[in-house]
Structure formats: C-alpha cells, structure tokens
C-alpha cells in the first residue's frame, strides 16, 4: 500500500491533500501532531470523512514530530481521538503504559509499534523488530542509513523477518531505495508525501506513476543508477516508461552509493539485472567487471553495467548518445573539425566517439595537462581555454562538456567572448538549464543547437536495449 502522510494544520487541508492524491494512494496517516490544538479536538471525525483507512499518529518531538505535550497529556489526546474509526494507531516502542493499546484493541483498531532513529542505524535491528512485533499487529522501524552497506543490513534484516507484519524504512537519500522497493523488504506499506514529512520521502504520484512501487513483486527485475549525488537523475523517467510500454515487470531507481564494492553486494542481493553508472563511479566500477567492450577499454570509463552469466559486463553508451543527434552531419561531411571544451570524464567518451568517426579535434581545457593527456591518447590538438578565440571561424562543431553553466550557476560561459560565425553546430551536454549561456550566444548568431537532454535520452535508449534486449519503444514522450 502507498500511504500518504498528512502534515497539514487543519482537517479541511488534509481532505484536500487526499483528494489531490486519491488515485495514487491506498491508505493515509493522520499526523495529529501537525494539527492545531482546536483541530485536534475533531481528529476523531477524520476517518468518517475519507474513503480510505487511516492511521492515527501523534508523534513526539523526540521522534521527529511536533507534539510537545507531557506523555500523560499526549496519551489522553490520543485516547480522545480513538473514538474515531481509525484502522491503526501508531504507538512508539518505549511507551510502557498500555491504556492506549487496550482502548484501541477494544475498538478493533490495530496497533503499529514504531521505532525511529533520525541519526543512525540502531544496533540489533533484527531483534528489535522481532520484539516490536510481539506487542503489535505491525512492527515499524524508520532508521537512518549512512552507507550502502547500512541499506543492505535493512534488506537482510527484513529477509530474516519473513512472516512478520512490518514496515522497514531507511530515511534520507540512502534509504530512498527502501521506500521504492518496500515490497521487496516485505513492508506492509511505504509512506509518501508532497512535503517530505520525513527525510527522503517521495511523492505519492512518483511512487505510483514513475516507479509503480505498489506493483513490485518477487519477480520484478531491479535496475537503477548509481552515483553520488544521484537523486536528481532523470534516467528513471526514461527507463520506467520504457519497461511499462514493453510490459516488462521491472523497475529502475536511483541508488546513492558510497563505494562500488558495497553496491555490488546489494546488486547481488537484489539480483539486479543491470544499472547505469554516473559521476563519480564511471572508472571505479571497471575493476568489478568480468567483461568490458572495446569502447569501455579505449574510453576508459563505463556508464552501463549488465548482468551476463556469472559476471557483470560493462558497456559505454555515452559516446553513442552524444553522436546520435549529430550523426547525419558527420556522415554528410558537414562536421569535419570540432572544438571540444573540457577534458574530464564526459569529454573522454565524446572525444573518442568523434575521433572514431574521423573528426579532427582541438581540446580546450582550463588545465592544459589534462587536455594534453586526452589529446595524446586520441591523437588530437589541445590548448587552454584562454586561447579559444584562436579557433574562431575554423570549426564546424563546438562541444561544451564541462560543468560551467550548470544550474544553479547558469550565467557563465567557459569560452566567454568567443565569436560564433553562425555556421557552427553548437552542442552543450548540460541539460539543466536547457539553454545555457553558451547556447544563447550561439543562438543569437543563428547557429544550429543541440542540447544535453538529447544526449541523455539517446544514451538511455541504447542502455535500455542493453538492459532488455528490446529497442526503446516508439511514441514515449520523455518529459523532464
Ligand atoms: P565530468 O566527468 O562531468 O566530465 P570531471 O571529470 O570532473 O567531470 O571534468 C570536469 C571538466 O570540467 C574538466 O575539464 C574541468 O577542467 P580541469 O581539467 O581544468 O579541472 C572542467 N571544469 C570544471 N570546472 C571548471 C571551471 N570553473 N572552469 C573551467 N573548466 C572547469
């Protein structure tokens, strides 16, 4: 079930949130601690106002909530609300007095016993969940992993607790996968909200429409993207609709990763079939691959890992993604000479791709030695950014591969002052913003433009083929 956490101050606002999210959710949690004291008095009416089951929660400040009442007064408030027809009431692990529990049971309201840790992962998670479950209908833990191995601990604990009614949540960015893959953890539900009432919470709409989290089952193949940072990744918006269109029971989600080795342990545990790799792991991942393609070997980095019998195989779809939008202009001879700005990881794949297609290149970079290294490997020229104007009028293609101009520092251009003739094709691989400062200047001169989103989508489509064996389906509108 997808559970919407209501953190509004009035019941009327809560109802509005339910209406807005109704098609994505199965159950809701009324966070009574967010309601004004006046509204709290009417909280008991709430279950009769909605057509889905309601969990009643009155969270203390010490557990990340807003209720600052004495424990006695808090329990009294909970008891008064329990006159309503709630499906569950949440009672924290350390609440000893059992008046709330008794009253709830007498009314047929089920008990969720919960444990929260907003800083870390408590010791002995397995036995604590076990103990919680002995005193409740559902045991809930919401803890804070700080590494991918902490995340793996949560999955392993859940496996040992098979048969126990539970909710296991890893909070924060590390735990996002536990929210999306809640069914793989055997959790009864996952919490969602528009306002992230707890760190890492995802909107109900995304859980339902992007990840289809409520349809994941033991047969669902898991794919994802590893990076750090990674939560901004747009790749789920490419792959998940693709899986849906070919009726493939699979999900693609972001994994924040600290080290590649631990991630491979999680990937094995989840029986993952493949994943995308982004900054800063495109080189680190190489040592864990049993098989790499010629492109990966020559480019020196890998952005796609797929499961093949008994090993992981690395391929690179970045160079293809970059080339696809300008392929015709290369094939027709329109592009013969290129200026490539930057000599980092992205530039490696681009320079390799262009050289492979016979294009002459000058690499311009802030640090000359980096440009020199890449130029030597690929047999091309190099220079510093300060000399950019030397190449005015001499190139057919200008490619921008650095992070200069990326949101939020978008009003800068790495070759400020460079005069376009209007004949150049100008390609910026940044996709946020779509119109970088460099592209704006090129547009003023009438240059043909290419955008980072084109490269992103094309590399993703080829990746999709590697993941599934199917062409990326036609007619999917990829909207970022
Ligand atoms: P990526 O993998 O995204 O290419 P990277 O490997 O960190 O990222 O490479 C970043 C590129 O952006 C490099 O070419 C870097 O120039 P240096 O080699 O001089 O570091 C370039 N870059 C980053 N910040 C820059 C800045 N403020 N001005 C100019 N170039 C910059």
């Amino acid at each position: 079930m997808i559970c919407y956490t209501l953190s509004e101050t009035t019941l009327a606002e809560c109802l509005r949130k339910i209406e807005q999210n109704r098609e994505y959710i199965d159950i809701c949690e009324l966070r009574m601690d967010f309601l004004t004291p006046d509204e709290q008095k009417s909280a008991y009416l709430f279950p009769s106002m909605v057509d889905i089951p309601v969990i009643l929660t009155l969270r203390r400040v010490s557990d990340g909530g807003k209720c600052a009442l004495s424990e006695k007064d808090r329990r009294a408030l909970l008891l008064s609300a329990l006159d309503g027809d709630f499906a569950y009431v949440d009672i924290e692990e350390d609440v000893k007095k059992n008046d709330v529990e008794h009253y709830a049971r007498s009314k047929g309201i089920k008990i969720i016993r919960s444990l929260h840790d907003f800083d870390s992962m408590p010791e002995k998670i397995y036995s604590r969940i076990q103990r919680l479950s002995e005193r409740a209908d559902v045991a809930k833990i919401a803890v804070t992993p700080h590494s991918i191995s902490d995340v793996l601990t949560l999955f392993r604990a859940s496996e040992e607790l098979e048969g126990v009614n539970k909710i296991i949540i890893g909070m924060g960015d590390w735990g996002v996968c536990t929210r999306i893959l809640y069914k793989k953890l055997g959790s009864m539900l996952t919490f969602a909200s528009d306002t992230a009432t707890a760190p890492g919470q995802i909107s109900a709409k995304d859980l339902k429409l992007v990840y289809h989290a409520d349809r994941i089952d033991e047969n669902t193949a898991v794919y994802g993207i590893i990076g750090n940072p990674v939560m901004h990744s747009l790749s789920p918006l490419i792959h998940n609709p693709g899986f849906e269109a070919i009726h493939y029971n699979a999900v693609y989600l972001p994994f924040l990763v600290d080290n590649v080795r631990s991630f491979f342990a999680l990937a094995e545990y989840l029986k993952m079939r493949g994943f995308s790799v982004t900054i800063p792991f495109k080189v680190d991942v190489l040592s864990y691959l049993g098989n790499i393609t010629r492109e990966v070997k020559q480019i020196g980095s890998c952005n796609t890992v797929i499961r093949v019998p008994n090993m992981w195989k690395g391929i690179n779809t970045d160079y293809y993604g970059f080339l696809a939008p300008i392929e015709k202009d290369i094939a027709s001879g329109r592009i013969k000479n290129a200026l490539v700005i930057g000599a980092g990881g992205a530039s490696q794949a681009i320079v390799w791709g262009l050289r492979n297609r016979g294009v002459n290149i000058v690499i311009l970079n802030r640090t000359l030695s980096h440009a020199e290294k890449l130029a030597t490997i690929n047999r091309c020229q190099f220079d510093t950014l300060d000399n950019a104007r030397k190449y005015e009028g001499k190139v057919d293609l200008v490619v921008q591969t650095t992070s200069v101009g990326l949101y939020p520092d978008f009003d800068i251009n790495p070759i400020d002052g460079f005069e376009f003739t209007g004949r150049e094709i100008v390609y910026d691989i940044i996709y946020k913003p779509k119109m970088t400062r460099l592209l704006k200047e090129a547009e003023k001169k009438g240059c043909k433009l290419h955008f980072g989103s084109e490269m992103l989508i094309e590399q993703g489509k080829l990746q999709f083929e590697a993941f599934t064996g199917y062409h990326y389906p036609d007619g999917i509108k990829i909207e970022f």
Side-chain angles (χ1 to χ4, degrees):
M1 292 188 287
I2 296 177
C3 177
Y4 192 90
T5 302
L6 294 160
S7 57
E8 323 311 311
T9 53
T10 66
L11 295 174
E13 286 167 33
C14 289
L15 277 179
R16 231 185 339 270
K17 279 283 170 199
I18 296 282
E19 272 161 34
Q20 284 164 7
N21 286 279
R22 185 64 193 90
E23 61 193 294
Y24 319 126
I25 60 178
D26 310 289
I27 183 169
C28 65
E29 178 189 36
L30 179 65
R31 283 288 299 269
M32 199 179 165
D33 47 309
F34 279 84
L35 295 176
T36 62
D38 243 13
E39 292 284 312
Q40 284 175 341
K41 288 182 199 142
S42 312
Y44 73 98
L45 293 170
F46 192 68
S48 61
M49 300 159 121
V50 293
D51 63 348
I52 47 174
V54 187
I55 300 172
L56 177 66
T57 299
L58 182 55
R59 193 69 76 224
R60 302 174 296 206
V61 173
S62 58
D63 286 318
K66 288 202 176 306
C67 180
L69 295 173
S70 71
E71 189 51 17
K72 192 167 161 229
D73 290 347
R74 186 175 78 104
R75 285 205 321 280
L77 190 56
L78 260 179
L79 280 168
S80 71
L82 282 178
D83 282 335
D85 200 7
F86 288 94
Y88 295 90
V89 58
D90 182 307
I91 306 174
E92 294 78 2
E93 182 195 38
D94 59 341
V95 174
K96 300 267 181 332
K97 287 250 192 273
N98 49 19
D99 46 357
V100 175
E101 189 175 334
H102 277 164
Y103 188 56
R105 287 209 189 283
S106 74
K107 295 206 64 210
I109 298 171
K110 291 190 171 148
I111 311 293
I112 297 175
R113 275 275 174 183
S114 63
L115 161 65
H116 299 87
D117 190 331
F118 283 84
D119 298 319
S120 59
M121 299 263 292
E123 299 276 298
K124 301 184 186 141
I125 284 202
Y126 165 78
S127 49
R128 287 182 81 172
I129 303 175
Q130 184 77 47
R131 251 181 287 133
L132 283 175
S133 76
E134 284 158 14
R135 298 153 59 210
D137 299 289
V138 182
K140 171 188 168 188
I141 60 153
V143 296
T144 308
H146 286 288
S147 65
I148 210 76
S149 59
D150 282 349
V151 171
L152 186 54
T153 301
L154 291 178
F155 276 97
R156 292 214 165 109
S158 79
E159 192 179 28
E160 293 190 35
L161 290 158
E162 218 188 321
V164 172
N165 283 335
K166 57 190 176 292
I167 303 167
I168 298 182
I169 299 156
M171 292 188 285
D173 284 352
W174 295 99
V176 163
C177 57
T178 66
R179 294 185 183 276
I180 297 170
L181 299 177
Y182 75 99
K183 291 184 105 179
K184 295 260 178 201
L185 279 146
S187 287
M188 175 182 93
L189 54 80
T190 189
F191 292 97
S193 90
D194 298 334
T195 43
T197 44
Q201 232 170 38
I202 304 166
S203 75
K205 188 175 178 187
D206 282 352
L207 278 174
K208 182 91 175 179
L209 299 187
V210 177
Y211 299 107
H212 303 288
D214 55 333
R215 286 204 328 236
I216 290 172
D217 58 30
E218 68 272 25
N219 297 320
T220 305
V222 180
Y223 295 86
I225 176 161
I226 67 166
N228 193 340
V230 72
M231 289 307 152
H232 63 283
S233 171
L234 299 173
S235 295
L237 301 175
I238 300 174
H239 292 288
N240 287 309
F243 294 155
E244 178 80 354
I246 63 166
H247 304 291
Y248 179 32
N249 181 7
V251 61
Y252 180 102
L253 65 149
F255 290 91
L256 182 62
V257 163
D258 50 346
N259 86 66
V260 174
R261 192 194 181 95
S262 317
F263 179 74
F264 272 98
L266 181 64
E268 294 288 349
Y269 178 87
L270 292 173
K271 300 187 179 64
M272 287 180 73
R273 309 264 180 96
F275 55 91
S276 316
V277 185
T278 188
I279 292 167
F281 301 119
K282 289 187 182 185
V283 177
D284 293 8
V285 84
L286 295 178
S287 27
Y288 300 91
L289 306 175
N291 184 347
I292 55 172
T293 57
R294 180 179 65 100
E295 296 87 63
V296 170
K297 189 156 194 250
Q298 293 183 356
I299 296 166
S301 74
C302 163
N303 78 324
T304 310
V305 174
I306 47 172
R307 159 69 79 193
V308 291
N310 302 322
M311 66 176 82
W312 296 97
K313 177 180 176 180
I315 62 177
N316 191 310
T317 68
D318 279 339
Y319 81 92
Y320 167 88
F322 170 77
L323 287 178
I326 54 171
E327 189 56 51
K328 281 199 185 112
D329 286 318
I330 296 176
S332 69
R334 161 94 169 75
I335 295 174
K336 289 201 176 76
N337 298 297
L339 199 58
V340 174
I341 304 157
S347 177
Q348 274 172 32
I350 288 168
V351 167
W352 184 87
L354 286 170
R355 287 298 290 143
N356 218 26
R357 302 288 281 111
V359 176
N360 299 312
I361 299 173
V362 181
I363 301 169
L364 296 184
N365 198 46
R366 177 179 60 180
T367 312
L368 194 62
S369 59
H370 297 166
E372 181 176 12
K373 193 168 167 214
L374 188 57
T376 308
I377 297 169
N378 291 283
R379 289 165 287 106
C380 44
Q381 291 173 257
F382 61 95
D383 212 330
T384 62
L385 284 177
D386 300 334
N387 286 335
R389 298 203 58 181
K390 258 170 56 184
Y391 303 93
E392 284 172 0
K394 295 186 180 142
V395 293
D396 316 303
L397 172 71
V398 174
V399 186
Q400 199 302 107
T401 75
T402 76
S403 49
V404 181
L406 180 69
Y407 178 86
D409 291 325
F410 50 81
D411 210 20
I412 42 176
N413 168 359
I415 50 166
D416 208 16
F418 184 94
E419 294 274 349
F420 293 101
T421 64
R423 219 181 41 76
E424 299 87 351
I425 294 173
V426 182
Y427 196 157
D428 197 325
I429 70 161
I430 287 175
Y431 56 77
K432 196 174 176 188
K434 179 175 183 186
M435 252 325 199
T436 58
R437 169 94 179 267
L438 176 83
L439 289 177
K440 278 185 194 160
E441 278 160 30
E443 189 188 36
K444 274 191 230 152
K445 291 292 172 71
C447 297
K448 183 174 175 189
L449 309 183
H450 284 287
F451 304 98
S453 54
E454 295 175 69
M455 174 174 173
L456 180 73
I457 291 171
E458 292 301 331
Q459 68 76 31
K461 287 181 174 177
L462 189 64
Q463 206 163 56
F464 184 88
E465 275 188 51
F467 287 158
T468 65
Y470 285 85
H471 283 304
Y472 193 79
D474 287 334
I476 295 183
K477 211 162 163 236
I478 301 170
E479 281 177 87
F480 297 146

